[in-house]
Amino acid sequence: MNTQSNAAPESQRDAQAVALAPTAATRPMYWSVQRELWENRSIYVAPLAAAAVYMLGFLISLIWLPQSVRALAALDPAQQRIKLAELYAHAAMLIMLTAFLVGIFYSLDALHGERRDRSILFWKSLPVSDLTTVLSKASISLVVLPVLVVALTASLQLVMWLLSSAVLQSSGVGAAALWTRLPVSEMALVSLYSAAVLALWHAPLYMWMLLVSGWARRAAFLWAVFPPLAIAAVEYTAFHTSYIGSLLQDRLFGFTATAFDLKDKNGVPVDAHFIPLTQLAPGRFLTSPGLWLGLIVAAAFFAAAVRLRRYQGPL
């Protein structure tokens, strides 16, 4: 009797484990993100292409590197660091700008594309919720692209530094010049911080594009861009004010004054080509009302996109 009574609960637990195993093994969120990467190769191809083009230009510039480094001897150490960091800063800026544009255009097509080619009928037949689907699409702009930017920027800057060191060593200038005057590790940490700042600050823009992607029947780009610009134009014409325009401008570029101290303790402007770790302001950024209001708006846009995806069909 005891054997039978113990066997029943065991069999029930085994049955429950078997029933739950497929759900755990499928990992809907993981494979949904993988699907986005498979179907949208521009997510990683565009930043890689930008890095490759920049590397080509950098390889050509190595011809004049020894004489450029020798010319830096007449400058003070602070100016030397800025001049040496220019090429590395331009590389980071180019990759970040490319990733931002990729995130915008990807978000505009994320929900619109599956409605246009009618693949939404197939994806809705799978046991994947609308929340998981939209969340996987949102994670591309908010998580995948920033991680790719950091990894690609660090790799590119490291290769640039190694090549520069080899050229300087072979030319007799010596690699020590870059060791002592070029803070590569510090620039990598600033790039990591900048990528996180950009993802959080631009979250409302990405979610707005995602919402329009799920709503518009055609010309999603015009529906995303034209209404805010039209409202700003009407406000300026009717009231001679530019609150909407200032709001849009702040959402695009306002992170610079919030996340960074652009002046040193003496009030001297900091050159954007090299921003030291001491000029980062994470505390001020994380307590900024603009950041949290933007995240609230982004959450509202995201919730609306999930609801739209639940009821929208193919075009």
Side-chain angles (χ1 to χ4, degrees), residues 200-214:
L200 292 173
W201 193 260
H202 290 153
L205 298 179
Y206 294 132
M207 295 305 100
W208 166 250
M209 300 296 172
L210 197 63
L211 175 60
V212 173
S213 176

Side-chain angles (χ1 to χ4, degrees), residues 94-234:
L94 175 62
I95 294 174
M96 287 183 183
L97 176 61
T98 303
F100 172 73
L101 295 176
V102 169
I104 289 294
F105 285 101
Y106 163 80
S107 299
L108 271 174
D109 192 63
L111 295 174
H112 190 265
E114 66 177 10
R115 295 164 57 218
R116 184 178 58 247
D117 61 18
R118 295 179 175 267
S119 62
I120 189 174
L121 297 173
F122 170 74
W123 297 116
K124 277 184 172 290
S125 68
L126 299 180
V128 180
S129 67
D130 296 295
L131 175 61
T132 300
T133 300
V134 179
L135 185 60
S136 68
K137 296 177 184 295
S139 68
I140 296 296
S141 300
L142 299 179
V143 179
V144 175
L145 278 171
V147 170
L148 179 62
V149 164
V150 173
L152 191 55
T153 300
S155 301
L156 180 60
Q157 290 180 341
L158 177 60
V159 172
M160 290 168 60
W161 184 87
L162 291 174
L163 291 174
S164 300
S165 299
V167 170
L168 292 175
Q169 189 69 35
S170 62
S171 65
V173 176
L178 266 72
W179 272 108
T180 57
R181 287 178 281 179
L182 186 61
V184 178
S185 58
E186 192 168 355
M187 289 191 296
L189 292 175
V190 172
S191 296
L192 174 62
Y193 173 76
S194 300
V197 165
L198 285 170
L200 292 173
W201 193 260
H202 290 153
L205 298 179
Y206 294 132
M207 295 305 100
W208 166 250
M209 300 296 172
L210 197 63
L211 175 60
V212 173
S213 176
W215 172 81
R217 297 189 61 85
R218 58 181 60 87
F221 180 78
L222 290 179
W223 281 111
V225 175
F226 182 74
L229 295 181
I231 294 173
V234 170

Side-chain angles (χ1 to χ4, degrees), residues 2 5-6 56 58 64-65 74 98 123 177 184 214 218 227 254 257 301 305:
N2 291 335
S5 61
N6 291 334
L56 177 61
F58 177 76
W64 302 278
L65 181 63
T98 303
W123 297 116
V184 178
R218 58 181 60 87
F301 288 158

Side-chain angles (χ1 to χ4, degrees), residues 81-82 85-90 93 187 270-275:
R81 284 189 302 175
I82 292 173
E86 280 186 357
L87 288 175
Y88 298 81
H90 292 162
M93 291 175 184
M187 289 191 296
V270 175
D271 194 300
H273 290 107
F274 174 66
I275 301 178

